[in-house]
């Protein structure tokens, strides 16, 4: 996404709202774990709750969301996985591997 896209704090708290969780404070956002992503450092999140996607009338219960987000003034890069908690837990290693496979397209000299 071009531009800051609202930044890490706004996106993480929007995701928390989608999971029926209260917003994090600035200090809680800063304390979230970091992981390498797209040759940069990204904020990692894992939330459990009732997932209400955009436009949905009801929120299914027992869901989990995993996400990585890196935001600068130039661009915001993120990957999310959301689904029934047991299914997401079964696929956490695959999510991690997928995230590590994403690399910038740098032309070779």
């Amino acid at each position: 996404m071009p531009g800051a896209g609202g930044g890490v704090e706004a996106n993480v708290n929007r995701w928390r709202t989608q999971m029926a969780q209260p917003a994090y404070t600035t200090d809680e956002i800063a304390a979230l774990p970091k992981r390498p992503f797209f040759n940069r450092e990204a904020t990692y999140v894992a939330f459990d709750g009732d997932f209400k996607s955009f436009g949905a009338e009801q929120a299914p219960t027992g869901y989990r969301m995993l996400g990585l987000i890196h935001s600068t003034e130039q661009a915001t890069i993120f990957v999310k996985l959301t689904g029934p908690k047991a299914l997401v837990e079964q696929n956490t290693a695959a999510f991690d591997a997928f995230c590590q496979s994403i690399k910038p397209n740098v032309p070779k000299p």
Side-chain angles (χ1 to χ4, degrees), residues 48-105:
D48 295 332
D50 302 337
F51 177 64
K52 188 169 185 183
S53 64
F54 180 74
E57 292 190 23
Q58 292 188 329
T61 61
Y63 269 51
R64 173 161 257 219
M65 177 186 291
L66 303 178
L68 274 175
I69 182 168
H70 172 79
S71 183
T72 66
E73 291 298 318
Q74 294 79 28
T76 299
I77 306 164
F78 60 85
V79 177
K80 288 184 354 183
L81 172 64
T82 307
K85 184 176 179 177
L87 186 59
V88 171
E89 287 174 338
Q90 290 170 5
N91 287 283
T92 297
F95 174 81
D96 292 341
F98 173 73
C99 290
Q100 292 308 303
S101 75
I102 300 171
K103 306 283 185 213
N105 186 12

Side-chain angles (χ1 to χ4, degrees), residues 8-14 16 21-32 34 43 45 47:
V8 172
E9 186 169 339
N11 281 287
V12 167
N13 281 328
R14 181 172 40 80
R16 286 190 58 79
Q21 298 297 320
Y24 277 153
T25 66
T26 301
D27 289 341
E28 288 171 317
I29 296 280
L32 288 170
K34 307 296 188 259
T43 300
V45 297
F47 311 130

